[in-house]
Amino acid sequence: ALEELDLPALRGLWGPGSWGEFQARLEAELPKEKAQALLQGYRARFSSPALAYGALETDRILLCPSLKAARLQAPHAPAYAYLFTYRVPGLGGLGAFHGLELAPLFGHLRVPPFLPLFLTQEAYEGARRLGERMRRYWTSFAKEGEPRGWPRWPLYREGYLLLLDEPPGLLPDPYEERCGVLEALGLL
């Protein structure tokens, strides 16, 4: 639908439309050799330049710096990491966007700006259950120094992240796969 509107400025919000544009965006802020290495690494993982660029920005700005901090902290003190992957049923195309975890965590499912996301019973109940689980982890961590719940939230040094979704789970540490090229290029 957006493509039909022929609004180039808005289309740019969805990510580059070609691999050449992907590379041009990177070369606008990075040395050419680093831009080319990122292009090669992300092109190998994604068929779409827009999806690759979205993943790169997520990795570069949110995921990898957080995981690097956990890696640096883990030898010195207990460190825990999670990945919030919950997608609102019926609105899965939105993904598990930054800030979405706040609605279940604080129980703000029926208040603006989150209200439109949780109008269906399925969306509301799934997020409500996830929120209860999240609050158990957070409050036990604050009270006892260890996040308690099911599944057990492992220490980061054990090689797993807690997957906050419905249902929850554990995820092998994705640092090498998702952050290795950024680390090798000195971008973390």
Short mmCIF file of all heavy atoms in Angstrom, two decimals, residues 151-174:
data_model
loop_
_atom_site.label_atom_id
_atom_site.label_comp_id
_atom_site.label_asym_id
_atom_site.label_seq_id
_atom_site.Cartn_x
_atom_site.Cartn_y
_atom_site.Cartn_z
N PRO A 151 10.45 -20.31 32.74
CA PRO A 151 11.64 -21.11 33.01
C PRO A 151 12.65 -20.34 33.85
O PRO A 151 12.58 -19.12 33.94
CB PRO A 151 12.21 -21.39 31.62
CG PRO A 151 11.73 -20.28 30.76
CD PRO A 151 10.42 -19.85 31.33
N ARG A 152 13.59 -21.08 34.45
CA ARG A 152 14.62 -20.44 35.25
C ARG A 152 15.43 -19.52 34.34
O ARG A 152 15.83 -19.90 33.24
CB ARG A 152 15.55 -21.50 35.85
CG ARG A 152 16.63 -20.91 36.76
CD ARG A 152 17.60 -21.96 37.27
NE ARG A 152 18.55 -22.42 36.29
CZ ARG A 152 19.64 -21.76 35.89
NH1 ARG A 152 19.92 -20.59 36.41
NH2 ARG A 152 20.46 -22.27 35.00
N TRP A 153 15.63 -18.30 34.80
CA TRP A 153 16.41 -17.33 34.04
C TRP A 153 17.88 -17.60 34.32
O TRP A 153 18.38 -17.33 35.41
CB TRP A 153 16.02 -15.94 34.48
CG TRP A 153 16.54 -14.82 33.64
CD1 TRP A 153 17.61 -14.82 32.80
CD2 TRP A 153 16.00 -13.50 33.58
NE1 TRP A 153 17.78 -13.59 32.23
CE2 TRP A 153 16.80 -12.75 32.68
CE3 TRP A 153 14.93 -12.86 34.20
CZ2 TRP A 153 16.55 -11.43 32.40
CZ3 TRP A 153 14.69 -11.54 33.91
CH2 TRP A 153 15.48 -10.83 33.02
N PRO A 154 18.61 -18.12 33.34
CA PRO A 154 20.01 -18.48 33.60
C PRO A 154 20.91 -17.26 33.64
O PRO A 154 20.61 -16.21 33.08
CB PRO A 154 20.36 -19.35 32.39
CG PRO A 154 19.46 -18.89 31.31
CD PRO A 154 18.20 -18.43 31.98
N LEU A 155 22.02 -17.42 34.34
CA LEU A 155 23.06 -16.41 34.30
C LEU A 155 23.57 -16.31 32.87
O LEU A 155 23.64 -17.31 32.14
CB LEU A 155 24.21 -16.77 35.23
CG LEU A 155 23.91 -16.68 36.72
CD1 LEU A 155 24.94 -17.44 37.53
CD2 LEU A 155 23.86 -15.21 37.13
N TYR A 156 23.96 -15.13 32.46
CA TYR A 156 24.43 -14.94 31.09
C TYR A 156 25.62 -15.84 30.77
O TYR A 156 25.73 -16.38 29.67
CB TYR A 156 24.77 -13.46 30.84
CG TYR A 156 25.18 -13.21 29.42
CD1 TYR A 156 24.23 -13.15 28.41
CD2 TYR A 156 26.51 -13.03 29.08
CE1 TYR A 156 24.61 -12.93 27.09
CE2 TYR A 156 26.89 -12.81 27.77
CZ TYR A 156 25.94 -12.76 26.78
OH TYR A 156 26.31 -12.55 25.47
N ARG A 157 26.50 -16.03 31.74
CA ARG A 157 27.70 -16.85 31.49
C ARG A 157 27.36 -18.31 31.18
O ARG A 157 28.20 -19.06 30.71
CB ARG A 157 28.67 -16.74 32.66
CG ARG A 157 28.20 -17.38 33.93
CD ARG A 157 29.28 -17.34 35.02
NE ARG A 157 28.80 -17.95 36.21
CZ ARG A 157 28.55 -17.31 37.34
NH1 ARG A 157 28.76 -16.02 37.42
NH2 ARG A 157 28.10 -17.95 38.39
N GLU A 158 26.11 -18.73 31.45
CA GLU A 158 25.69 -20.09 31.13
C GLU A 158 25.41 -20.24 29.63
O GLU A 158 25.18 -21.36 29.17
CB GLU A 158 24.45 -20.46 31.94
CG GLU A 158 24.70 -20.55 33.43
CD GLU A 158 23.44 -20.81 34.22
OE1 GLU A 158 22.67 -21.73 33.85
OE2 GLU A 158 23.21 -20.09 35.22
N GLY A 159 25.41 -19.14 28.90
CA GLY A 159 25.27 -19.22 27.45
C GLY A 159 23.85 -19.11 26.92
O GLY A 159 23.60 -19.43 25.76
N TYR A 160 22.93 -18.63 27.76
CA TYR A 160 21.53 -18.51 27.33
C TYR A 160 20.95 -17.17 27.75
O TYR A 160 21.36 -16.58 28.75
CB TYR A 160 20.67 -19.62 27.95
CG TYR A 160 20.98 -20.97 27.38
CD1 TYR A 160 21.94 -21.78 27.97
CD2 TYR A 160 20.33 -21.43 26.24
CE1 TYR A 160 22.24 -23.02 27.44
CE2 TYR A 160 20.62 -22.67 25.71
CZ TYR A 160 21.58 -23.46 26.30
OH TYR A 160 21.88 -24.68 25.78
N LEU A 161 19.96 -16.74 26.98
CA LEU A 161 19.14 -15.59 27.31
C LEU A 161 17.74 -16.10 27.60
O LEU A 161 17.32 -17.13 27.06
CB LEU A 161 19.04 -14.64 26.12
CG LEU A 161 20.18 -13.70 25.80
CD1 LEU A 161 21.41 -14.45 25.37
CD2 LEU A 161 19.75 -12.74 24.73
N LEU A 162 17.03 -15.39 28.44
CA LEU A 162 15.63 -15.69 28.66
C LEU A 162 14.85 -15.12 27.49
O LEU A 162 15.05 -13.96 27.11
CB LEU A 162 15.13 -15.07 29.97
CG LEU A 162 13.65 -15.28 30.29
CD1 LEU A 162 13.35 -16.75 30.54
CD2 LEU A 162 13.25 -14.44 31.48
N LEU A 163 14.01 -15.93 26.89
CA LEU A 163 13.18 -15.51 25.77
C LEU A 163 11.83 -15.12 26.34
O LEU A 163 11.09 -15.98 26.82
CB LEU A 163 13.05 -16.65 24.77
CG LEU A 163 12.43 -16.33 23.43
CD1 LEU A 163 13.28 -15.34 22.66
CD2 LEU A 163 12.29 -17.61 22.63
N LEU A 164 11.54 -13.82 26.36
CA LEU A 164 10.26 -13.35 26.88
C LEU A 164 9.25 -13.32 25.74
O LEU A 164 9.28 -12.46 24.87
CB LEU A 164 10.41 -11.97 27.51
CG LEU A 164 11.18 -11.96 28.83
CD1 LEU A 164 11.41 -10.54 29.31
CD2 LEU A 164 10.45 -12.77 29.89
N ASP A 165 8.41 -14.32 25.76
CA ASP A 165 7.39 -14.51 24.74
C ASP A 165 6.29 -15.33 25.37
O ASP A 165 6.36 -15.69 26.54
CB ASP A 165 7.99 -15.22 23.52
CG ASP A 165 7.28 -14.87 22.22
OD1 ASP A 165 6.06 -14.58 22.25
OD2 ASP A 165 7.94 -14.90 21.17
N GLU A 166 5.28 -15.63 24.61
CA GLU A 166 4.20 -16.47 25.11
C GLU A 166 4.08 -17.66 24.17
O GLU A 166 3.57 -17.50 23.07
CB GLU A 166 2.90 -15.65 25.17
CG GLU A 166 1.78 -16.26 25.95
CD GLU A 166 2.13 -16.60 27.39
OE1 GLU A 166 2.92 -15.90 28.05
OE2 GLU A 166 1.61 -17.61 27.85
N PRO A 167 4.63 -18.81 24.51
CA PRO A 167 5.23 -19.18 25.78
C PRO A 167 6.68 -18.70 25.88
O PRO A 167 7.33 -18.44 24.87
CB PRO A 167 5.17 -20.71 25.77
CG PRO A 167 5.28 -21.08 24.34
CD PRO A 167 4.57 -19.98 23.59
N PRO A 168 7.20 -18.62 27.10
CA PRO A 168 8.59 -18.20 27.30
C PRO A 168 9.54 -19.36 26.98
O PRO A 168 9.11 -20.48 26.76
CB PRO A 168 8.63 -17.88 28.80
CG PRO A 168 7.64 -18.83 29.38
CD PRO A 168 6.54 -18.94 28.35
N GLY A 169 10.81 -19.07 26.97
CA GLY A 169 11.78 -20.12 26.70
C GLY A 169 13.19 -19.61 26.94
O GLY A 169 13.40 -18.55 27.51
N LEU A 170 14.13 -20.39 26.49
CA LEU A 170 15.54 -20.02 26.57
C LEU A 170 16.09 -19.97 25.15
O LEU A 170 15.67 -20.73 24.28
CB LEU A 170 16.32 -21.03 27.40
CG LEU A 170 15.90 -21.16 28.86
CD1 LEU A 170 16.75 -22.22 29.56
CD2 LEU A 170 16.01 -19.83 29.59
N LEU A 171 17.04 -19.09 24.93
CA LEU A 171 17.64 -18.90 23.62
C LEU A 171 19.15 -18.97 23.78
O LEU A 171 19.71 -18.25 24.62
CB LEU A 171 17.24 -17.53 23.07
CG LEU A 171 17.85 -17.10 21.76
CD1 LEU A 171 17.24 -17.91 20.61
CD2 LEU A 171 17.60 -15.61 21.54
N PRO A 172 19.82 -19.83 22.99
CA PRO A 172 21.28 -19.81 23.05
C PRO A 172 21.79 -18.40 22.72
O PRO A 172 21.23 -17.71 21.87
CB PRO A 172 21.70 -20.80 21.97
CG PRO A 172 20.52 -21.71 21.81
CD PRO A 172 19.31 -20.84 22.06
N ASP A 173 22.83 -17.98 23.42
CA ASP A 173 23.38 -16.64 23.26
C ASP A 173 23.66 -16.36 21.78
O ASP A 173 24.47 -17.02 21.16
CB ASP A 173 24.67 -16.53 24.07
CG ASP A 173 25.29 -15.15 24.01
OD1 ASP A 173 24.68 -14.23 23.44
OD2 ASP A 173 26.40 -15.00 24.56
N PRO A 174 22.98 -15.35 21.20
CA PRO A 174 23.17 -15.06 19.77
C PRO A 174 24.32 -14.09 19.48
O PRO A 174 24.43 -13.59 18.36
CB PRO A 174 21.82 -14.42 19.39
CG PRO A 174 21.43 -13.68 20.63
CD PRO A 174 21.90 -14.56 21.78
#
